[in-house]
Amino acid sequence: MNQQKSIAIIGAGIGGLTLAIALHRKGINAIVYENASEMKFLGAGLTLAGNAIQSFKAIGLQNEVLAAGKILKRLFIKDHLGRVITTADAEYISAKLNIVNNFAVHRADLHQVLLQQLPEEKLVLGKRAIDFQQYNDRVLVTFADGTSVDADYVIASDGIHSIFRRKLVQKSQPRYAGYTAWRAVIDQSATALNLDETSESWGRGKRFGIVPLTNNRIYWFATMNTSAKNERLKNYTPQDLAKEFEDFHLPIPQIIEETKSEQLIWSDIIDLEPLKKFAFCRVVLMGDAAHATTPNMGQGACMAIEDAAILAICMDEEKQVEKAFMNFEKRRISRTTKIVNDSWRLGKVAQLENPLLISLRNAAMKMVPPSVAEKQVKFLSDISF
Ligand SMILES: Cc1cc2nc3c(=O)[nH]c(=O)nc-3n(C[C@H](O)[C@H](O)[C@H](O)COP(=O)(O)OP(=O)(O)OC[C@H]3O[C@@H](n4cnc5c(N)ncnc54)[C@H](O)[C@@H]3O)c2cc1C
């Protein structure tokens, strides 16, 4: 592409930062504008599948990212009493497919790695985009502090509540999945955990996941069926939450009790009904702004990272940026749509409350051969750059 063009990336989340690095490495000039006035390293853990790691590899970031996290060897799905429903041998599958799969990292550590790879002058903080106007030859983005920027092109990576998507696709609103979630990162509990394994335990309308991280920390998450924006649950202390999970197997109640109130992060689970377009002339949507998904497949950030790798390639290959945006849309829309839909359905199955349906589900899952997990990993990691 013409390297004199100016590109504004809005939002310095995982997607926006990864893209900025990818463009920088291809000699394409882009500046990231981020709402936050400082990059506070908040958040919990993330699991990244093979597709995210391959995308980092395509950008040349794989080693730095892998050094910040931990590769996990096995994944278990259990019932609330701890009986194994199904398991996936991530180590075997990774070796067979020759990929790095099932990688866990603290979000803060990943952000730190990404920030270290981006020249300081490429990121402007304290810039909350509040509106934009698209003209024939440019896009004017206005910020809450009264300033504005005139860019040739804009890449909106401003997350699920994207102001760009809200204006471009007015009927697209986040939809509530029917369950809420708590997350935390804590030092490994006194109880013995296998730090090579990740697990999810499924109860009635509730799930609890444990993901080991580096430096003797664990990331845990809990989900529960409820109405949206439930004020009572929002104010739950770890002790309140431990009561909700008191019938779950050990060490789940202890892990929750060992968590400090300030470590607890609460959020309703929301996603976006798949869009039919990501490219709108001089503006393109990416990451959660384009295709936010429920976290059931652990693919939201993975898709944002894939977007970054592929959008950078499209912009490198095609001189006309509007065409590059269209090519990106073509390459991304059916894959991201499938993942959003599969993840939504998986959430419904995992959050079942009816005991009979739960027994049937668990019995059916026990009969699923290991090749199915392998196929899923293969589908996710089969990306051509
Ligand atoms: C409970 C939970 C667990 C998850 N677990 C996983 C997982 O294990 N694996 C996985 O792959 N994904 C997971 N995800 C999904 C993942 O968090 C997101 O998909 C990912 O963070 C999306 O990245 P993004 O850069 O597109 O958007 P975001 O991370 O939302 O970043 C958007 C950025 O834009 C900035 N911004 C917003 N509005 C503006 C504005 N108007 N102007 C300027 N800046 C703005 C924000 O401050 C932010 O920095 C999970 C999500 C949840 C809720």
Side-chain angles (χ1 to χ4, degrees):
M1 68 165 269
N2 180 343
Q3 295 180 6
Q4 303 315 309
K5 302 276 185 207
S6 65
I7 315 273
I9 299 173
I10 312 295
I14 293 165
L17 282 180
T18 307
L19 175 70
I21 298 164
L23 291 179
H24 176 63
R25 291 186 175 190
K26 289 193 181 294
I28 298 171
N29 183 33
I31 305 284
V32 189
Y33 297 89
E34 162 61 39
N35 170 36
S37 50
E38 55 177 312
M39 294 301 276
K40 281 197 209 133
F41 298 115
L42 293 176
L46 264 184
T47 54
L48 296 180
N51 53 329
I53 306 301
Q54 278 174 272
S55 303
F56 279 131
K57 191 175 176 185
I59 299 168
L61 280 172
Q62 183 193 19
N63 293 342
E64 291 81 356
V65 170
L66 289 180
K70 187 175 170 67
I71 296 170
L72 299 163
K73 293 183 179 163
R74 283 182 85 80
L75 160 74
F76 288 92
I77 307 268
K78 303 177 181 175
D79 69 11
H80 73 290
L81 297 175
R83 294 171 300 203
V84 175
I85 302 173
T86 187
T87 175
D89 187 339
E91 196 176 29
Y92 167 79
I93 297 174
S94 300
K96 192 166 171 194
L97 301 178
N98 194 24
I99 54 169
V100 175
N101 190 39
N102 216 15
F103 173 77
V105 63
H106 196 302
R107 273 174 197 266
D109 296 342
L110 179 58
H111 253 99
Q112 186 91 57
V113 166
L114 296 176
L115 281 174
Q116 279 164 0
Q117 300 300 319
L118 188 70
E120 233 174 87
E121 67 277 11
K122 300 270 175 192
L123 174 62
V124 188
L125 297 174
K127 293 286 174 192
R128 181 163 66 87
I130 52 168
D131 197 8
F132 72 99
Q133 291 299 327
Q134 195 166 181
Y135 301 99
N136 283 341
D137 58 344
R138 66 199 168 97
V139 187
L140 179 71
V141 181
T142 43
F143 297 105
D145 63 2
T147 61
S148 61
V149 67
D150 239 335
D152 292 309
Y153 300 95
V154 167
I155 298 163
S157 58
D158 51 341
I160 189 167
H161 301 289
S162 169
I163 64 136
F164 292 86
R165 191 194 65 254
R166 287 208 310 251
K167 192 163 173 178
L168 293 163
V169 193
Q170 281 166 14
K171 66 174 183 21
S172 170
Q173 296 292 335
R175 61 177 175 179
Y176 177 55
Y179 39 99
T180 202
W182 293 265
R183 291 172 278 172
V185 172
I186 61 170
D187 284 336
Q188 198 220 331
S189 88
T191 44
L193 280 175
N194 184 332
L195 294 182
D196 285 327
E197 294 176 357
T198 172
S199 69
E200 261 193 47
S201 302
W202 293 7
R204 288 183 60 185
K206 293 176 192 172
R207 273 181 287 165
F208 194 88
I210 303 172
V211 182
L213 297 173
T214 50
N215 299 329
N216 220 30
R217 298 168 297 177
I218 58 165
Y219 157 50
W220 66 256
F221 59 88
T223 65
M224 196 166 110
N225 290 352
T226 180
S227 53
K229 298 180 185 153
N230 185 319
E231 280 299 312
R232 186 175 59 87
L233 299 185
K234 181 179 170 185
N235 294 316
Y236 258 16
T237 62
Q239 287 65 39
D240 297 325
L241 191 61
K243 272 208 188 95
E244 296 282 359
F245 284 81
E246 65 187 0
D247 61 336
F248 273 57
H249 64 89
L250 295 174
I252 289 172
Q254 285 99 319
I255 287 177
I256 303 175
E257 288 211 0
E258 278 169 25
T259 305
K260 298 186 182 86
S261 290
E262 62 272 20
Q263 291 172 320
L264 205 57
I265 303 173
W266 169 86
S267 46
D268 273 346
I269 297 301
I270 51 178
D271 80 349
L272 293 173
E273 206 171 307
L275 303 182
K276 301 218 163 16
K277 264 168 81 71
F278 295 160
F280 300 84
C281 304
R282 290 177 174 267
V283 179
V284 70
L285 306 174
M286 68 166 282
D288 272 13
H291 46 65
T293 174
T294 52
N296 304 303
M297 290 171 65
Q299 273 294 315
C302 297
M303 286 292 117
I305 296 160
E306 265 190 27
D307 280 357
I310 291 174
L311 183 52
I313 290 168
C314 291
M315 292 173 71
D316 192 36
E317 285 172 354
E318 172 55 63
K319 289 198 169 37
Q320 290 185 38
V321 181
E322 287 183 36
K323 266 201 192 158
F325 287 175
M326 294 287 291
N327 292 344
F328 166 76
E329 175 186 292
K330 254 188 235 148
R331 286 182 69 172
R332 302 300 294 151
I333 209 134
S334 66
R335 181 171 166 87
T336 53
T337 297
K338 176 171 166 46
I339 284 167
V340 169
N341 289 337
D342 286 357
S343 182
W344 181 268
R345 279 193 291 269
L346 178 60
K348 293 294 168 201
V349 172
Q351 292 290 135
L352 282 176
E353 281 187 39
N354 180 309
L356 179 64
L357 292 178
I358 290 175
S359 304
L360 289 172
R361 174 198 67 196
N362 293 359
M365 283 175 66
K366 280 184 185 155
M367 291 191 300
V368 173
S371 58
V372 171
E374 196 179 314
K375 256 194 205 149
Q376 170 73 357
V377 174
K378 191 163 169 17
F379 161 73
L380 287 174
S381 50
D382 253 352
I383 347 158
S384 49
F385 292 104

